Amino acid sequence: MSNNSVPKIKRFAIIGFPLQHSVSPRLHNRAFKDYGMKATYEKMPIPPEEFEARILQLKREDWGGFNVTIPFKERIIPLLDGVEKTARAIGAVNTIKCDRGRWLGFNTDWLGFLRPIEWKLDDFKHCLILGAGGAARAVAFALIRLKNVKSLIIANRTMHRAELLVNDLQRFGSTASISAAHLNSLMPFSQQKFDLIVNSTSVGMNDPLATPVIDPKPLAHSKTLIYDLIYKPPETGLLKRAKKLGLRTLNGYAMLVHQANAAFEIWTGKPYLPVTLKSLLR
Ligand code: NAP
């Protein structure tokens, strides 16, 4: 058999720092195996100070695609050869498809975020997002596209980052009122109460004992949903506190699976979920 007839193994990876928490290799390797595809998916931790140099080096190699996670979803954009319309609007990329050496950026987080709650989207009129990083951008973009969302507050530790996101969102001409706040000064909003509070900060990630990023008690009513994008640990300090208060809670696992599903489809043209579920059935 000549070398030309040996099918090449396609390589995929997740780029981020730190990456211990990531279960993406497990999800994608399973789907590749279920489909019988010759492909591998690995973790590629890149220290922030080496980011640009390492990406330029990777661009000279042969890759099928990447996922991008904390803290690089915004920083990757200037290094790409093209960015799909929605990802450009969001200002964050979590999926890259390498097409004959051209790196094209996509965002599947916004869809992954909406899927697990799509059956109750009508409930969410007043929403609070904690954080203003790459994941918060996708969540905010998803929420302002919903007709019934009347108000959206973006609260972040670094105020100017929240203000920047609010400015970007206002360009879409949404009828919702959108404003920025500091994470430590949310009390003025306690009169209003939120229907949905989303934690898109990394506070609590890999640390079940971390102090919750905020106390939801003064900001929640009896039906508020506390949605933490973190999936490891499955119950963060914020979700534990919310449960104690009798609030509805959701962690980030379903979002993870849905964003992975959409990324897998971008890379392979095939759906991820059906084949993986099928492999689990008797
Ligand atoms: P990112 O771009 O690095 O943003 C991190 C955010 O966390 C920023 O708003 C940052 O605030 C805030 N933050 C970090 N440390 C903090 C602290 N000690 N106190 C208060 N705020 C702090 O990261 P990302 O990509 O948006 O990811 C954020 C989280 O969402 C991560 O835990 C990630 O795993 C999770 N996520 C989950 C999924 C899923 O599928 N379930 C998808 C995407 C993301 P500053 O601006 O002040 O630094």
Side-chain angles (χ1 to χ4, degrees):
M1 192 188 267
S2 80
N3 266 351
N4 285 346
S5 60
V6 178
K8 256 194 3 212
I9 295 181
K10 268 201 165 180
R11 293 175 70 199
F12 296 82
I14 180 163
I15 296 170
F17 199 82
L19 278 183
Q20 313 90 286
H21 70 285
S22 177
V23 298
S24 294
R26 216 171 76 203
L27 294 178
H28 289 291
N29 281 322
R30 167 170 209 116
F32 288 140
K33 186 164 166 260
D34 289 347
Y35 270 115
M37 290 174 178
K38 284 207 169 298
T40 60
Y41 187 110
E42 61 199 85
K43 279 186 193 177
M44 186 165 300
I46 301 183
E49 63 280 9
E50 294 173 17
F51 185 66
E52 278 75 13
R54 289 285 302 280
I55 295 298
L56 294 179
Q57 181 193 330
L58 289 171
K59 287 186 86 173
R60 291 193 287 270
E61 300 171 6
D62 189 15
W63 288 88
F66 296 90
N67 281 129
V68 184
T69 188
I70 175 173
F72 300 133
K73 288 180 182 178
E74 296 156 82
R75 202 165 147 187
I76 188 73
I77 290 180
L79 301 169
L80 298 174
D81 302 297
V83 179
E84 180 266 339
K85 206 171 90 221
T86 308
R88 186 167 292 289
I90 291 170
V93 159
N94 76 321
T95 302
I96 298 169
K97 181 176 174 143
C98 307
D99 185 16
R100 282 160 291 170
R102 290 190 78 234
W103 283 31
L104 308 173
F106 298 83
N107 190 298
T108 67
D109 278 340
W110 74 277
L111 197 64
F113 163 76
L114 284 182
R115 281 277 188 244
I117 52 172
E118 63 186 329
W119 55 281
K120 51 185 164 207
L121 291 176
D122 283 349
D123 295 353
F124 307 135
K125 294 190 173 53
H126 302 290
C127 306
L128 169 64
I129 297 177
L130 310 170
R137 284 188 161 267
V139 169
F141 177 85
L143 289 176
I144 61 155
R145 291 182 74 181
L146 300 177
K147 286 191 190 128
N148 58 307
V149 169
K150 303 263 178 293
S151 75
L152 178 62
I153 312 283
I154 315 278
N156 199 40
R157 173 182 63 176
T158 309
M159 188 65 187
H160 84 87
R161 215 172 167 198
E163 285 165 346
L164 194 69
L165 175 50
V166 168
N167 280 343
D168 287 350
L169 292 167
Q170 277 163 344
R171 281 193 281 119
F172 290 108
S174 162
T175 52
S177 103
I178 312 167
S179 36
H182 193 277
L183 260 187
N184 295 340
S185 32
L186 285 169
M187 277 319 276
F189 300 103
S190 59
Q191 301 299 319
Q192 172 187 302
K193 311 290 184 201
F194 295 97
D195 307 307
L196 173 68
I197 299 178
V198 182
N199 178 34
S200 55
T201 74
S202 44
V203 179
M205 189 171 79
N206 298 326
D207 183 2
L209 302 176
T211 310
V213 59
I214 58 153
D215 181 3
K217 187 174 180 192
L219 304 168
H221 55 68
S222 63
K223 294 207 167 85
T224 300
L225 174 67
I226 310 292
Y227 188 169
D228 198 327
L229 304 194
I230 293 172
Y231 57 87
K232 219 175 195 179
E235 200 170 74
T236 56
L238 175 66
L239 293 190
K240 278 192 195 121
R241 171 76 180 137
K243 270 193 181 163
K244 235 183 211 158
L245 295 168
L247 302 174
R248 297 183 297 167
T249 61
L250 181 65
N251 72 16
Y253 196 76
M255 171 175 174
L256 174 81
V257 173
H258 284 290
Q259 64 75 30
N261 182 34
F264 191 85
E265 222 167 327
I266 288 169
W267 295 326
T268 66
K270 294 182 182 356
Y272 161 76
L273 278 176
V275 70
T276 299
L277 283 182
K278 214 169 127 196
S279 76
L280 296 173
L281 301 175
R282 273 179 210 284

